[in-house]
Amino acid sequence: PAPAPAPAPAPPQQPPAPLEAPPQQRDNSLVLPMAAEASTTARNRCYTSTTATATTTAAMPTTAAAPPRRPLVSAYSADCAPRATYQIPKSGRLAAWWIEEERDDGSPMYRRVEEGAEIELNEKFRSALLATQRHSHRGAAGAAELLAAFRSALQGTNVRALRCIALDGEVAKRLPLELRGDSRISAIRLPCVEASGKMALAGSALRRAKSIVEELLQREGPAVFKIGITCNPLNRWLAYAMDGYHQFHLLYATEESGVVQMLEAALIDSFQERSGCRNIARGGEGPVGKPPFFAYLALAPCRDAVGVRLQPCAQRKRMRIRD
């Protein structure tokens, strides 16, 4: 019989294919913030830096929680939004007004507006505050609305040289910088005037002023400070600015000179032994001039070992700016 055909050689076995790795998932944490950044940039350019910071944080793995940074806080970067329940006083003086003028040497000085003109300015200012109260929480935009309404109430009168010191902290929060003049003068911590025009009692006003001074001293760290009273905060601040002070906080405003004198004496008695206090006298002298009268805190934080630069006595007398 014919021999059986030889079986066909088996095909060479291929090595088993390695298991295919599952496709890697895309890192959506990187894509989503980038898309959000693009859309946010298209809507509003001012948020680009904030979104870019969020993108970088999402892309880099977090190894350890970074210690919280102490925010750079000052009296002018605090939240200055007025209270939603605040009611504008219907009577009484809302603010004191000055006109900025120039001395022979080019330095500024501030002259108080006459009584009749100030009454009219306060009435126009009150009407502007009431007309723009719905914009009170819009920050700079709300301040611009208030300035436009005030100019309209004055029928287009030029207010470029006009300066205002509000007697109410809630009103001060709404003032545009064009009326405040120097941003280093802060009136936002003045107590609120009730809608009826009444002020807080003397005891509560003293406790409140003490707490404000303590808060500012703790917030700014080592600092040189001085407590005083004046009837012209703008001119008084110029004298402190010459000495190197950085901030000027108004603590209390009143129409009675005796009240502010007692408040000054009580505050100096409480803080005169504190390191950095430059008050020598016990307080209670002056001020001489037209009301309202203000109690204030002049402050110079000693960051990087930089403090105030006191002028020689004779030079200070020549440079002294009277209220």
Side-chain angles (χ1 to χ4, degrees):
Q13 293 184 357
Q14 297 292 336
L19 295 177
E20 185 178 356
Q24 291 186 350
Q25 296 181 354
R26 297 186 63 185
D27 187 3
N28 291 331
S29 64
L30 202 69
V31 177
L32 293 179
M34 292 176 64
E37 180 182 2
S39 60
T40 306
T41 305
R43 291 196 305 268
N44 195 336
R45 295 277 181 185
C46 67
Y47 290 104
T48 302
S49 60
T50 304
T51 311
T53 304
T55 304
T56 307
T57 305
M60 298 179 62
T62 304
T63 55
R69 296 181 58 188
R70 181 180 182 271
L72 183 60
V73 180
S74 71
Y76 314 110
S77 62
D79 183 15
C80 296
R83 293 183 308 173
T85 58
Y86 174 72
Q87 295 183 1
I88 298 169
K90 299 179 180 179
S91 61
R93 194 199 308 259
L94 274 178
W97 300 84
W98 285 264
I99 296 178
E100 182 176 347
E101 298 177 340
E102 190 172 308
R103 296 178 182 270
D104 295 336
D105 59 358
S107 60
M109 65 168 292
Y110 299 92
R111 175 175 56 85
R112 184 72 178 273
V113 174
E114 297 295 332
E115 186 68 26
E118 188 168 272
I119 293 175
E120 181 181 0
L121 285 171
N122 276 318
E123 291 306 317
K124 301 297 184 183
F125 187 54
R126 194 189 316 272
S127 65
L129 286 169
L130 292 171
T132 59
Q133 195 163 11
R134 65 185 184 279
H135 303 299
S136 60
H137 295 272
R138 294 180 56 191
E145 293 282 349
L146 175 59
L147 181 61
F150 183 55
R151 286 173 172 167
S152 176
L154 292 174
Q155 300 180 355
T157 303
N158 188 0
V159 297
R160 179 173 298 179
L162 199 60
R163 299 293 178 261
C164 172
I165 297 292
L167 307 186
D168 185 312
E170 295 297 318
V171 175
K173 293 174 183 179
R174 296 187 56 187
L175 273 181
L177 184 59
E178 290 84 353
L179 292 180
R180 285 189 291 154
D182 198 319
S183 62
R184 294 171 293 180
I185 301 176
S186 174
I188 63 174
R189 289 177 172 81
L190 288 174
C192 299
V193 181
E194 298 179 3
S196 60
K198 295 181 179 180
M199 292 289 292
L201 297 177
S204 59
L206 176 59
R207 288 192 298 271
R208 186 178 185 278
K210 282 183 177 180
S211 65
I212 292 173
V213 174
E214 189 68 45
E215 173 198 352
L216 290 170
L217 293 179
Q218 291 184 2
R219 174 176 295 178
E220 298 297 342
V224 172
F225 66 95
K226 192 171 183 180
I227 297 166
I229 52 180
T230 181
C231 59
N232 191 333
L234 298 168
N235 279 346
R236 181 57 61 89
W237 162 244
L238 293 179
Y240 280 104
M242 291 176 185
D243 283 345
Y245 285 83
H246 302 162
Q247 303 170 16
F248 194 79
H249 302 276
L250 300 180
L251 307 174
Y252 191 75
T254 179
E255 301 284 339
E256 301 177 13
S257 61
V259 174
V260 76
Q261 290 170 0
M262 293 181 63
L263 179 64
E264 179 198 28
L267 289 175
I268 292 176
D269 184 67
S270 299
F271 293 96
Q272 195 168 23
E273 302 301 324
R274 185 74 61 90
S275 175
C277 181
R278 291 298 174 92
N279 287 98
I280 299 176
R282 289 292 181 180
E285 307 88 1
V288 179
K290 294 167 53 178
F293 306 104
F294 300 87
Y296 64 81
L297 171 71
L299 189 64
C302 299
R303 301 188 183 100
D304 303 324
V306 176
V308 298
R309 303 178 297 275
L310 290 179
Q311 306 289 343
C313 181
Q315 186 177 1
R316 282 174 55 82
K317 288 182 179 179
R318 289 196 300 268
M319 298 173 64
R320 177 105 177 140
I321 300 174
R322 299 178 61 187
D323 280 345

